Amino acid sequence: MDRREPPGHLAPHLPADLYHRLDDRTVVIVHTPPPRRRATTYAVPLAVGLAVAFGFIGLAAAALALFEFAVRTAALLGTLAGPVGIGTFLQLARPKGK
């Protein structure tokens, strides 16, 4: 090989004893690509990630539904009590133990 040839185009190394046994015969070196990964190697982490994402989405939806229920309940109680009946409502809401 030549010194002027770029390093990316170098042939793979042949052991010296094999090179001497060739005696100027033509050599064909075949490179096989590395084996491809199966789809299952990507499917398991993808499924776990999607399950975690859907779990977080479900948690957020449940929290929003709970907050909405609390707000609607407070609004309903405030509407029912009204400005005049707030004292009555607070008296009824107190514990009777005292």
Side-chain angles (χ1 to χ4, degrees):
M1 289 196 195
D2 210 319
R3 284 188 189 197
R4 292 173 288 159
E5 198 166 332
H9 297 287
L10 296 177
H13 175 71
L14 287 175
D17 59 339
L18 177 63
Y19 180 76
H20 288 297
R21 277 188 278 152
L22 288 174
D23 292 330
D24 294 333
R25 287 183 280 177
T26 305
V27 178
V28 177
I29 300 173
V30 178
H31 279 282
T32 57
R36 298 182 75 188
R37 291 186 179 183
R38 295 189 339 225
T40 55
T41 56
Y42 299 110
V44 172
L46 182 65
V48 169
L50 285 174
V52 168
F54 282 132
F56 280 131
I57 289 171
L59 269 170
L64 288 175
L66 185 64
F67 292 147
E68 183 184 2
F69 179 73
V71 166
R72 286 182 186 262
T73 303
L76 178 68
L77 292 177
T79 303
L80 289 177
V84 176
I86 289 178
T88 308
F89 173 74
L90 290 176
Q91 276 186 338
L92 293 174
R94 284 188 184 165
K96 304 289 185 208
K98 289 187 177 181

